Amino acid sequence: MGSLLSKTSSKISSKSKPAEKMASPAKFTHYAGAQTEFKPPLIANENAYLGDIATSEPNDPTSPISAGFYRLEKGTPLVYEYTYHEMKIIVDGEFDISDESGQKVHAVKGDVFYFPKGSKITFTTETFGLGFFVGQRKEGAA
């Protein structure tokens, strides 16, 4: 790959490309132990917890994504209507997930879901479930 980039770069003259100001490299952010250490706040009923741990909003305010954890304990089902697109991976426990189309899935660790904007999803569990999500929304807008 390096040789391909070298060949491509050498074909571009300085006259055809304006000089670019060197920006400092973008840094990643690390959340050590987030799955076990982060405790999302209660958001609904007596048993539904959700909290964002990261967002791209400061770097991309027009099209941010936010990520965090959703935990549901045994008890009242949570019915949620998505106003944004979201991906979720089950990282612990189990959920029973259904939608208005009649789809029903018993979700376990490792299962991945895409919830499109406008979908109405029911989450329930006989024990507990923990999911990690990334949603196309601003921080705190769930």
Side-chain angles (χ1 to χ4, degrees):
M1 185 165 176
S3 62
L4 175 61
L5 291 176
S6 299
K7 290 175 187 174
T8 305
S9 303
S10 65
K11 292 179 183 178
I12 300 172
S13 73
S14 60
K15 293 178 185 176
S16 64
K17 186 177 178 186
E20 293 180 22
K21 187 176 179 181
M22 293 296 289
S24 59
K27 296 180 181 180
F28 66 81
T29 305
H30 176 226
Y31 300 92
Q35 182 177 333
T36 54
E37 300 298 319
F38 179 70
K39 304 298 181 213
L42 183 68
I43 57 152
N45 308 321
E46 77 289 355
N47 62 331
Y49 303 82
L50 183 138
D52 293 340
I53 61 166
T55 184
S56 67
E57 195 171 350
N59 298 322
D60 188 357
T62 57
S63 299
I65 58 172
S66 295
F69 290 95
Y70 167 59
R71 182 178 180 93
L72 186 67
E73 303 287 339
K74 183 177 181 173
T76 307
L78 179 72
V79 179
Y80 187 78
E81 187 165 352
Y82 282 88
T83 58
Y84 52 91
H85 299 284
E86 182 179 279
M87 303 291 292
K88 188 183 305 287
I89 183 169
I90 310 309
V91 295
D92 201 5
E94 60 185 353
F95 291 96
D96 290 307
I97 299 175
S98 60
D99 66 16
E100 292 184 310
S101 77
Q103 286 188 106
K104 293 181 182 183
V105 173
H106 181 74
V108 295
K109 185 177 180 177
D111 288 353
V112 175
F113 292 85
Y114 164 58
F115 302 117
K117 182 178 180 177
S119 60
K120 192 172 192 177
I121 308 296
T122 299
F123 298 90
T124 189
T125 183
E126 288 299 314
T127 56
F128 79 97
L130 180 65
F132 178 78
F133 62 82
V134 177
Q136 188 181 26
R137 62 169 174 78
K138 292 184 176 191
E139 183 176 21

